Amino acid sequence: MMGNPSSTTTSVNGFYSILSRGLDDLDRAFAAHNFMSIQFFQRVISSLRSFHSHLNILVQKLHLPVGEKWLDEYMDESSRLWEACHVLKSGISAMENYYSAGTNIVSSLDGYYNLNPQISRQVIRAIIGCRREIVGLEEENKNLVETRIQALSLRLDENISVEPKFINGFNGFRGVLHAMKNVSSLLLMILLSGLVYCWPKSSFFHGGHDGQAGFGSGFMAATSRLRQRVAAELNRIDGQPGIFMYEFRKAKAATEELKVELERVLEYEGGGEEIQEKVESLKSWFGALRCGTESVVGQLDDFFDEIVEGRKKLLDMCTHK
């Protein structure tokens, strides 16, 4: 997405420019895709991985002193990233029972053009069971976010010192790590809000952070723009807390539409083409949900490998020095 990391990450200012361009790309991607869609989340994860890769390459070029605090600070931040991504993976993986239940509903109706009352009632009961899966999934994910994410302090840090002494500490490393921490917090919160659990009125998205002039101001402005765009869309939806992934919401709506149609068939004793249309819609959305979540899990697994490799390289670099 941003070219060969080794050819572009040549300076601290270059890293800030990479963050700015990457965030602007995400801002455009946000407008181009359905709100909280799998395609957008895949772009977010790709950007997070790319920024992490650029950071690791830059750190190796900064000629940092061995045995100093910078390594501990890097390890703390990469551990935070690792833990947050594991919460993401846990939340997404928990969705398997839901889309399996949806797939079973589709299978039970596939090919039926003349439904009898018994089959209709069986499917309606299965849909009610699917609803219970949603309630359990969202409650489980809510607890996951409350117990594990809040401790990670995913926030845009407005109060940290931006004095040159801080920003330029360890040849600019401290400023770069602070920038990465802010950007990764935003991207992780976007991912968690769509894939795991979201409170639409969350203070994270509705804060008044406009960036610090003079400190990588381009990337700070880009961070603020993306956050404000997400906040505006959350305001527009004005929904209840829960899982906001587009494909999840569409599968949920398609299930309810099928239930309404089945109840109509029971009441008026008829139906066929309309039922099949609803079944095909349900099949399509649950298929998109399954494929999309599996793809995101694959991306996260690759990112875990990259985090481990980055930590190992820096440790080896210090050891060899």
Side-chain angles (χ1 to χ4, degrees):
M1 185 177 74
M2 295 182 218
N4 185 343
S6 62
S7 67
T8 54
T9 309
T10 58
S11 68
V12 168
N13 286 337
F15 181 75
Y16 292 141
S17 295
I18 287 166
L19 292 181
S20 297
R21 289 196 301 271
L23 290 168
D24 284 340
D25 286 345
L26 282 179
D27 192 50
R28 288 187 287 271
F30 185 94
H33 293 102
N34 291 309
F35 178 59
M36 295 289 191
S37 69
I38 288 287
Q39 291 93 334
F40 178 65
F41 293 137
Q42 289 170 330
R43 290 287 298 272
V44 172
I45 296 172
S46 293
S47 296
L48 193 57
R49 291 171 63 187
S50 177
F51 295 153
H52 180 262
S53 176
H54 284 296
L55 174 65
N56 285 337
I57 291 168
L58 177 61
V59 169
Q60 293 174 61
K61 295 180 179 181
L62 289 179
H63 306 293
L64 297 168
V66 176
E68 295 283 351
K69 194 177 179 184
W70 70 266
L71 184 60
D72 292 336
E73 292 171 3
Y74 173 89
M75 291 298 178
D76 287 346
E77 177 56 21
S78 63
S79 294
R80 188 183 77 121
L81 194 56
W82 171 279
E83 177 65 16
C85 286
H86 265 288
V87 174
L88 272 172
K89 183 177 177 180
S90 296
I92 299 166
S93 299
M95 206 171 285
E96 183 176 353
N97 287 342
Y98 172 62
Y99 58 64
S100 293
T103 302
N104 290 338
I105 291 171
V106 171
S107 299
S108 67
L109 282 172
D110 218 7
Y112 277 100
Y113 288 91
N114 293 301
L115 294 176
N116 60 49
Q118 182 182 3
I119 293 174
S120 296
R121 290 190 185 94
Q122 286 175 352
V123 175
I124 289 171
R125 284 195 294 272
I127 290 173
I128 292 170
C130 208
R131 279 181 180 172
R132 286 195 293 269
E133 287 288 349
I134 293 174
V135 172
L137 172 64
E138 292 191 326
E139 187 61 31
E140 183 179 337
N141 282 6
K142 177 185 176 184
N143 291 336
L144 191 63
V145 171
E146 288 177 337
T147 56
R148 292 176 61 184
I149 289 299
Q150 290 184 3
L152 297 179
S153 298
L154 295 181
R155 61 178 182 269
L156 297 187
D157 198 339
E158 303 175 34
N159 300 315
I160 195 164
S161 168
V162 289
E163 292 297 321
K165 184 178 179 181
F166 170 81
I167 296 303
N168 297 324
F170 295 117
N171 298 336
F173 168 80
R174 277 207 164 122
V176 163
L177 190 67
H178 173 54
M180 184 65 188
K181 186 173 183 177
N182 268 336
V183 170
S184 63
S185 289
L186 174 61
L187 300 189
L188 289 166
M189 283 302 295
I190 290 172
L191 291 167
L192 287 161
S193 296
L195 297 169
V196 183
Y197 196 84
C198 178
W199 288 269
K201 301 300 182 184
S202 165
S203 61
F204 184 94
F205 291 114
H206 297 280
H209 186 69
D210 292 318
Q212 299 279 4
F215 166 49
S217 54
F219 98 82
M220 295 296 277
T223 302
S224 182
R225 282 194 298 272
L226 181 57
R227 180 167 77 161
Q228 288 169 9
R229 187 182 285 276
V230 174
E233 195 64 23
L234 288 172
N235 278 335
R236 189 186 69 80
I237 289 179
D238 196 27
Q240 296 297 312
I243 298 170
F244 272 53
M245 188 200 314
Y246 178 75
E247 289 78 5
F248 178 84
R249 288 183 287 126
K250 295 297 283 188
K252 185 178 174 181
T255 306
E256 291 305 310
E257 289 172 8
L258 176 60
K259 180 175 179 290
V260 169
E261 191 63 29
L262 287 168
E263 289 170 341
R264 190 188 69 79
V265 168
L266 279 174
E267 184 175 355
Y268 297 106
E269 296 186 0
E273 290 185 5
E274 297 87 350
I275 289 290
Q276 281 305 304
E277 287 175 10
K278 304 298 182 187
V279 171
E280 287 304 314
S281 173
L282 193 65
K283 185 177 183 179
S284 173
W285 286 116
F286 272 108
L289 184 62
R290 178 189 287 271
C291 291
T293 52
E294 288 176 351
S295 173
V296 167
V297 167
Q299 283 184 291
L300 290 173
D301 283 338
D302 290 340
F303 192 25
F304 291 138
D305 291 341
E306 292 161 9
I307 292 171
V308 170
E309 183 64 22
R311 289 167 65 94
K312 183 176 183 297
K313 278 184 178 179
L314 294 190
L315 285 170
D316 288 348
M317 181 180 76
C318 291
T319 302
H320 292 151
K321 280 185 178 181

